[in-house]
Amino acid sequence: MKINFSWSTWVKIGILVAVLLSAPYFIPFALEFVIVADLMGLEALVVFLAASGKYWWHAISLKLSAFGENLAETAALVAELYLFKPRVVLLHTTASSLCLILASSVILCLAVWIPPMIISAQLIS
């Protein structure tokens, strides 16, 4: 027996499965989500999501601002490494550029950067 569903039925089944799988993690109002999708259609569902979007926008913006602060702190810590001191970067960038131009060897260019990496690793630990 072959079951032939229409496209709208497949869409509803897909939405139902997605909601049920993600409900414990993302959607605290999963039952209302399914009811609105089934009874009123996708347009009403979009309006429902837009109405509750202010809370989600605030939560997401808080997480993004915390991520930005963590990223800035990490960048500040990395900038303090010996490897990223201006004199070291300028000297090693010039040396590896000359190695690449003259010898066309990526391995030789990377070998120029190994001593500052080792020194930075030893200063951290």
Side-chain angles (χ1 to χ4, degrees):
M1 182 167 120
K2 188 174 182 183
I3 300 173
N4 291 326
F5 289 127
S6 66
W7 176 251
S8 64
T9 306
W10 281 112
V11 169
K12 287 180 183 178
I13 290 172
I15 289 174
L16 182 63
V17 169
V19 166
L20 291 177
L21 289 176
S22 65
Y25 306 106
F26 300 112
I27 305 173
F29 49 87
L31 184 61
E32 292 88 359
F33 193 80
V34 172
I35 291 172
V36 169
D38 191 37
L39 297 178
M40 298 199 232
L42 291 176
E43 294 83 7
L45 182 63
V46 170
V47 171
F48 178 69
L49 289 174
S52 65
K54 183 177 181 183
Y55 166 77
W56 293 108
W57 180 258
H58 183 66
I60 290 171
S61 66
L62 283 176
K63 288 194 183 275
L64 285 176
S65 67
F67 176 73
E69 289 173 6
N70 290 338
L71 193 64
E73 290 173 4
T74 303
L77 288 174
V78 167
E80 293 175 4
L81 292 175
Y82 178 75
L83 180 65
F84 296 107
K85 299 293 180 197
R87 197 185 84 183
V88 174
V89 170
L90 184 62
L91 178 68
H92 285 82
T93 303
T94 305
S96 65
S97 298
L98 286 174
C99 287
L100 188 63
I101 291 170
L102 298 176
S104 297
S105 173
V106 175
I107 294 173
L108 185 60
C109 294
L110 293 177
V112 171
W113 286 97
I114 290 175
M117 287 181 198
I118 292 172
I119 292 171
S120 291
Q122 289 176 355
L123 289 175
I124 291 173
S125 54

